[in-house]
Amino acid sequence: MLNRHDELIHHDILPRLEKVEKAQLDFSTQVEAISSQVSEIKSSQTNLELTVMKDGQETRGLLTKFIDHSFAVDKAKLDAQRDVIHRDERITLKRFSTREKIVLGIVGAFAGSGGILAGIAGLLQILK
């Protein structure tokens, strides 16, 4: 019986045990390889994040300069248009004679701020 157990251990159990130990060693080697790859991926991801953040910051800086420039150009155009409009208005008013200015003032007084309505109400009171 002792020989049978010895034969069973040497032919059946020991080869299986060697296979398990080899598989465990291969598994440990693969885990180490995967761990080093994960570390490399983390490092690459960190570098990529930094690069993207730097690019984003540069882009925001350029866009800020562009927007400021664009608003400055738009403001200059609007100021120029206002100057032209005000100049045209001044020229138009200067062409009116004194008599025309008085007539325009009277019409504006009656027409402005409910003057026409007050005139109509007064006319209705007179007609009653």
Side-chain angles (χ1 to χ4, degrees), residues 10-93:
H10 285 293
H11 292 298
D12 194 28
I13 294 176
L14 286 179
R16 278 200 257 162
L17 186 60
E18 286 175 4
K19 287 180 183 178
V20 169
E21 288 175 349
K22 185 179 183 238
Q24 189 175 17
L25 183 62
D26 289 342
F27 180 76
S28 296
T29 305
Q30 289 177 356
V31 166
E32 287 177 16
I34 290 172
S35 294
S36 69
Q37 288 176 350
V38 168
S39 296
E40 289 176 11
I41 290 171
K42 284 181 181 179
S43 175
S44 296
Q45 182 179 2
T46 303
N47 290 337
L48 181 62
E49 287 174 359
L50 290 174
T51 302
V52 168
M53 288 172 52
K54 286 179 184 177
D55 286 347
Q57 185 177 15
E58 290 174 3
T59 302
R60 282 190 301 277
L62 289 173
L63 286 175
T64 302
K65 289 178 184 178
F66 175 74
I67 289 170
D68 290 343
H69 175 73
S70 178
F71 281 141
V73 168
D74 288 345
K75 185 179 180 301
K77 285 180 183 177
L78 286 174
D79 290 343
Q81 286 176 349
R82 279 192 212 122
D83 290 344
V84 168
I85 290 171
H86 290 300
R87 185 170 36 98
D88 290 344
E89 287 174 356
R90 279 185 253 128
I91 291 171
T92 303
L93 288 176

